[in-house]
Amino acid sequence: LQEALIAVILEKGFEAATVQDVIDRANVGRSTFYAHFQDKEDLLLSGFEHLWAEFEKHLTAASSNNEGPWDLSLSMFQHAESQRRLYKAMAGKQGGNIALTYIQKYLSGYLTDHLKQQLAKRKKGFPPEILSYHIASSFISLLTWWLDNDSTYSAEQMNDFYRQLVEPGVNSIMMAG
């Protein structure tokens, strides 16, 4: 069902996709679909949860240096590159805002936890939730652009561009007296 949903999203977009399209593509009955999922959003979000679990495994394996959001962004770009079709369906413009809302929530939460510690160590009064929201929003915007434009830039190049755009502002907050 996940594969069928991805194919339908890439063809029609999430909003135009129907449960009937998905079950026709997957060659399963309507009762089978509804035995497992409430609707197409539920199916999409179950795929997101699987994707996030896979990403967390990828991040844990890649996380040898502690560069904060920069190893996270590189890991996400690399994971998106290795599963481009899935990411394009989930986070590209055709995926709708549902998955992007969850990606924003998960990333912001992850970053807020990290930044609370970093800002507390440096005795900074800047709200970590605002900084994490900015970092995550910028990342999602660039990831979506990369996916939707079928850009040939590598994950590493995209992360370098992202860092050039975002890191100076983050550093000015982290280093400000």
Side-chain angles (χ1 to χ4, degrees):
L1 287 170
Q2 284 292 333
E3 276 301 312
L5 179 64
I6 290 166
V8 172
I9 289 172
L10 291 172
E11 283 174 18
K12 295 182 164 192
F14 181 77
E15 298 306 320
T18 65
V19 169
Q20 191 63 50
D21 293 331
V22 174
I23 62 177
D24 287 349
R25 176 69 58 103
N27 198 25
V28 300
R30 185 171 284 279
S31 60
T32 301
F33 179 90
Y34 286 109
H36 299 283
F37 304 101
Q38 291 182 337
D39 52 25
K40 67 181 182 176
E41 287 182 20
D42 192 25
L43 175 59
L44 180 70
L45 293 178
S46 75
F48 173 75
E49 289 166 6
H50 173 74
L51 180 67
W52 190 260
E54 268 191 44
F55 170 69
E56 283 182 328
K57 280 191 250 173
H58 179 83
L59 179 61
T60 302
S63 196
S64 55
N65 58 9
N66 189 13
E67 291 192 52
W70 318 125
D71 61 345
L72 174 65
S73 62
L74 177 58
S75 291
M76 283 203 72
F77 277 121
Q78 288 170 335
H79 196 250
E81 188 172 54
S82 71
Q83 307 224 7
R84 195 171 192 107
R85 185 171 177 266
L86 176 60
Y87 268 82
K88 191 167 184 165
M90 298 289 283
K93 66 183 171 207
Q94 290 191 303
N97 288 327
I98 296 162
L100 289 176
T101 300
Y102 274 80
I103 292 170
Q104 175 79 36
K105 180 181 137 195
Y106 278 83
L107 277 178
S108 291
Y110 181 92
L111 290 168
T112 297
D113 291 344
H114 177 77
L115 291 169
K116 273 182 188 174
Q117 297 168 355
Q118 296 300 316
L119 290 168
K121 279 186 214 172
R122 292 175 171 84
K123 298 184 180 6
K124 303 295 174 190
F126 198 92
E129 58 278 0
I130 292 174
L131 184 55
S132 65
Y133 185 84
H134 170 70
I135 293 168
S137 298
S138 298
F139 174 80
I140 288 168
S141 293
L142 202 54
L143 175 68
T144 303
W145 176 88
W146 185 50
L147 294 168
D148 287 343
N149 289 288
D150 295 319
S151 175
T152 58
Y153 295 115
S154 70
E156 291 75 17
Q157 288 173 304
M158 289 305 296
N159 195 58
D160 286 345
F161 297 145
Y162 172 69
R163 285 184 78 160
Q164 288 175 46
L165 291 166
V166 177
E167 194 171 14
V170 171
N171 285 345
S172 74
I173 289 166
M174 298 302 277
M175 304 305 170

